Amino acid sequence: MTAPTILRADDRGAPIGFRRLMLLTALALALLVTVLVIGLVTAHQRTGRLQALGDTAWQQALLVTRIEADLTAMLLVAPDDRAVPRAQVLARLEAYEALIAAERMLLDGDAAALTAQDAEQAAAQRLAALVRATPPRIAQARALVKAIAADERAEAEQAVAQSIALRIEGARRAAIVMGLALALLGGVVLALWRQVIRPIGDLADATRRLAAEASPVRVPVRGLAELRDLAVRFNDMATMIERQVAERTESIEASNEALREIDARRRLFFAKVGHELRTPVTVMRGEAEVALRHGVNVASLRDALAQVRDNADFLDRRIEDLLGIARAENGALVLQHEPIDLAALVSESGAVAEAFARANGIVLSVGAPGPVPVHGDRQWLRQAMLTVIDNAVKFSPPRGRVTLTLAAADGLARISVVDEGPGVAAEALDDIFAPYRQAVAGRQRGGAGLGLSLARWIAHQHKGSIIATPARAGQGLCVEMTLPVLQ
């Protein structure tokens, strides 16, 4: 039997809530129990009345049978001796009429039954008249008594039959009510299964899958109103968690990619640093060996010592680059800011770099009209300029020219280093300032890709900037560092 419709939410309307479900179930059960109690009480009352009618009818039948026996006895005695039996018959008739009156009280306004009682009353009165007659009309009285007895037995049997039928009907109605109650309970159980247990099972399974990081995790929105709301909130929570997990996963992947890139750059850095530091050491060793082979030759010895000095200066600048980058990354590098003359510093840096440029067959020209006061760290600004000059010398062709100039205008000092090398593609101009990053020409000429990165860091520490632009169409590179002039 299917669940009653009052237990199901209307699919076209709002879903039914748990309280409403329980209230409707309680009302339905109360109604069924009320119907059952009323039916049982009514059946009990009717059965009691029929039982009393049946008992009265049997008493009447027994009394009429005794009256019949008394009439038979009157026939067996002499007419003069019939006074006692007749008095006894009349007494029994009075008792019979009293039972008729008592039976009338049990009829509860039943018109047909009252008519039958009137007929019984009339028959009893006729029987009394026949007995009181002189002489008594015993034969007629006996015939009437037999008819009355037959009617009373039939009435008693009818009352018993009606009582039995009423009990059967009461049992059938009780069975129907119990069946409805069981159907209601079955409907409630089915509704609880579909509207409560199954949605809760969906939520439990989704929670397990969410804990196991299965994605996506969603629960169907079904069941009672409270469980529907819970399912909607769970789905919203699952969406938010998945979004957060995706964002964090993406962030972790980006961090891992950055770490992999840094690791690759550092491996490349150590390989290139080893190569770049090995080159000046090899040159110095070669010059020393040549000088030793030629014996005491002042001119050759002077040239060898000059080469050793120049390569030692180059090696010293590379070591300073490495230390500067390392200190800048871990925050241990502290700049000493003080007023300095940038024009003098540019001239000094050009003089230091001239020997290295000359050793590589490059002409270095310096133009620094001054003075140009700035606020900064003399040592690190000098290191930045030497780094840019070294880079220009490295990329210049043999017998090429590198120009170092200083200009001041609009409160800014501009230090420009221009070479005659192959230049850098426009899309790679920004990359040459990144640590361990080099253009194709830079990778061909060696180096660790640290110098320009250090120069940019120094410029930024002085609230300045550094950029690279093509010197002229197709050839050369101009690296310009801008610093604020001290007012």
Side-chain angles (χ1 to χ4, degrees):
M1 183 175 294
T2 60
T5 56
I6 60 171
L7 296 179
R8 295 198 299 267
D10 189 353
D11 295 336
R12 295 169 298 178
I16 189 171
F18 183 78
R19 292 182 179 179
R20 185 181 177 191
L21 175 63
M22 293 297 100
L23 178 61
L24 292 176
T25 302
L27 290 176
L29 287 175
L31 179 62
L32 289 176
V33 170
T34 302
V35 171
L36 178 62
V37 170
I38 292 175
L40 291 176
V41 171
T42 303
H44 178 72
Q45 291 177 348
R46 293 184 59 189
T47 302
R49 186 172 63 85
L50 289 174
Q51 184 68 36
L53 288 174
D55 292 342
T56 303
W58 282 116
Q59 291 177 8
Q60 290 173 346
L62 180 61
L63 190 57
V64 170
T65 301
R66 290 177 178 177
I67 291 174
E68 182 181 4
D70 291 338
L71 291 174
T72 301
M74 289 177 65
L75 290 174
L76 298 177
V77 299
D80 295 337
D81 297 329
R82 293 177 178 173
V84 174
R86 180 167 59 179
Q88 188 174 352
V89 170
L90 291 175
R92 293 184 189 280
L93 282 174
E94 290 179 2
Y96 176 64
E97 289 181 357
L99 288 174
I100 292 175
E103 186 178 13
R104 180 183 293 272
M105 298 296 296
L106 298 173
L107 294 179
D108 196 20
D110 189 350
L114 290 174
T115 302
Q117 292 301 308
D118 292 338
E120 289 182 2
Q121 184 70 32
Q125 292 176 356
R126 289 198 303 273
L127 180 59
L130 291 174
V131 173
R132 288 190 183 98
T134 304
R137 300 177 181 179
I138 298 175
Q140 294 179 359
R142 288 186 63 197
L144 182 56
V145 164
K146 289 182 179 180
I148 292 173
D151 291 340
E152 292 297 342
R153 284 193 295 271
E155 184 178 351
E157 292 173 355
Q158 182 182 7
V160 172
Q162 287 179 350
S163 177
I164 294 173
L166 184 60
R167 288 192 180 95
I168 294 174
E169 179 66 18
R172 188 178 68 83
R173 291 181 179 180
I176 292 175
V177 173
M178 292 300 297
L180 290 176
L182 292 176
L184 176 62
L185 291 176
V188 170
V189 171
L190 180 61
L192 290 176
W193 167 257
R194 296 179 57 185
Q195 304 294 330
V196 177
I197 298 177
R198 189 165 61 176
I200 290 177
D202 294 337
L203 286 169
D205 180 66
T207 302
R208 286 192 296 270
R209 289 190 289 120
L210 187 63
E213 298 183 357
S215 180
V217 177
R218 298 293 183 275
V219 294
V221 180
R222 60 186 178 187
L224 299 178
E226 294 84 355
L227 292 176
R228 286 173 177 260
D229 180 67
L230 182 59
V232 170
R233 294 177 183 272
F234 180 89
N235 290 338
D236 292 341
M237 179 191 69
T239 301
M240 181 181 64
I241 291 176
E242 290 170 4
R243 184 184 303 113
Q244 292 177 349
V245 169
E247 292 175 354
R248 293 177 182 177
T249 301
E250 183 178 356
S251 176
I252 292 173
E253 291 177 352
S255 300
N256 290 338
E257 181 63 27
L259 289 175
R260 285 192 293 269
E261 184 177 356
I262 292 173
D263 184 63
R265 289 180 181 179
R266 291 191 182 278
R267 287 197 301 269
L268 179 62
F269 160 71
F270 286 117
K272 290 187 175 183
V273 164
H275 173 74
E276 186 143 339
L277 296 182
R278 188 183 300 114
T279 299
V281 171
T282 302
V283 172
M284 287 188 291
R285 181 185 296 112
E287 292 294 335
E289 291 175 352
V290 170
L292 290 174
R293 281 198 303 268
H294 285 82
V296 181
N297 186 329
V298 176
S300 62
L301 184 59
R302 183 180 296 275
D303 290 339
L305 290 176
Q307 290 292 334
V308 169
R309 182 197 61 191
D310 294 339
N311 282 278
D313 290 341
F314 174 79
L315 185 59
D316 181 66
R317 287 193 293 272
R318 284 294 173 263
I319 292 174
E320 288 297 330
D321 288 347
L322 296 176
L323 292 175
I325 288 294
R327 292 169 182 169
E329 288 182 352
N330 63 22
L333 184 60
V334 179
L335 275 67
Q336 302 295 328
H337 290 277
E338 59 183 356
I340 58 176
D341 181 7
L342 189 59
L345 185 59
V346 168
S347 299
E348 178 185 339
S349 300
V352 173
E354 185 177 2
F356 173 72
R358 185 173 61 253
N360 286 272
I362 304 300
V363 177
L364 175 63
S365 61
V366 180
V372 179
V374 297
H375 195 264
D377 189 300
R378 173 182 294 274
Q379 178 184 355
W380 285 107
L381 284 175
R382 176 176 175 270
Q383 180 68 27
M385 284 186 279
L386 290 176
T387 297
V388 176
I389 294 171
D390 285 348
N391 187 76
V393 169
K394 183 174 67 174
F395 285 96
S396 294
R399 294 182 297 279
R401 177 179 293 274
V402 173
T403 304
L404 170 63
T405 59
L406 171 65
D410 301 327
L412 295 176
R414 290 181 174 84
I415 305 170
S416 301
V417 178
V418 181
D419 62 48
E420 296 178 349
V424 178
E427 62 272 11
L429 287 174
D430 291 336
D431 291 341
I432 65 175
F433 295 100
Y436 320 118
R437 298 287 293 274
Q438 290 179 293
V440 176
R443 290 193 292 270
Q444 292 174 350
R445 286 170 170 79
L450 292 173
L452 293 181
S453 173
L454 178 62
R456 182 179 65 175
W457 183 86
I458 294 172
H460 289 170
Q461 294 301 309
H462 287 80
K463 297 181 174 56
S465 63
I466 187 169
I467 61 172
T469 58
R472 51 187 173 274
Q475 291 293 326
L477 182 70
C478 175
V479 177
E480 183 179 83
M481 182 167 60
T482 303
L483 300 173
V485 174
L486 182 62
Q487 299 298 326

